[in-house]
Amino acid sequence: QVHLVESGGGSVSAGGSLSLSCKASGFNQYCTYAMSWYRQAPGEEREFVAGFDPDVRPTYAASLEGRATFSRPNGGKSIYLQLHGLKPEDTAMYICQSERRRSYYCAPEVYWGQGTQVTVSS
């Protein structure tokens, strides 16, 4: 069973920075897993933040372009999200997601972590 554990959230003032981490366990060595960050604010839909598909460069939500840096060192089981120039509207639960890709041995499936809270005050 895949487990995703996030850390690094907190409360900062506008303009501040945070570094988020997500560590996965339970990956099947014969399968390929994409990993991404999403966020969800109270009363809002969950939205894509940043992700890295194998062999593709990171992509970001337009609202965070230039203020976020996504990384997945060596395509491993951990991903990171560095957030800069935070704004009050960035306040949300930041949630790690992993997607197991379809292959001969593997069925597609999506996994979610519990999230880490980011709160930005004005």
Side-chain angles (χ1 to χ4, degrees):
Q1 181 71 1
V2 172
H3 290 283
L4 304 171
V5 180
E6 304 94 335
S7 61
S11 296
V12 297
S13 299
S17 301
L18 283 173
S19 293
L20 309 183
S21 302
C22 171
K23 296 185 179 181
S25 61
F27 278 0
N28 184 319
Q29 64 178 321
Y30 300 108
C31 302
T32 299
Y33 296 82
M35 296 183 74
S36 304
W37 286 100
Y38 282 72
R39 69 183 182 184
Q40 188 166 21
E44 301 284 338
E45 298 273 328
R46 186 170 293 186
E47 65 173 352
F48 172 81
V49 172
F52 184 78
D53 211 350
D55 301 325
V56 177
R57 67 179 183 179
T59 57
Y60 301 94
S63 61
L64 282 166
E65 193 75 50
R67 300 190 295 119
T69 303
F70 176 94
S71 63
R72 185 179 181 182
N74 300 314
K77 298 178 183 179
S78 295
I79 58 172
Y80 304 90
L81 184 68
Q82 295 187 6
L83 300 168
H84 314 278
L86 284 162
K87 305 175 182 180
E89 53 263 42
D90 295 320
T91 295
M93 183 73 75
Y94 284 69
I95 305 163
C96 182
Q97 184 238 45
S98 181
E99 180 181 349
R100 187 171 65 197
R101 296 302 172 87
R102 181 187 299 277
S103 70
Y104 185 81
Y105 296 105
C106 307
E109 190 160 355
V110 176
Y111 304 93
W112 297 93
Q114 294 296 308
T116 185
Q117 178 68 36
V118 171
T119 302
V120 186
S121 58
S122 57

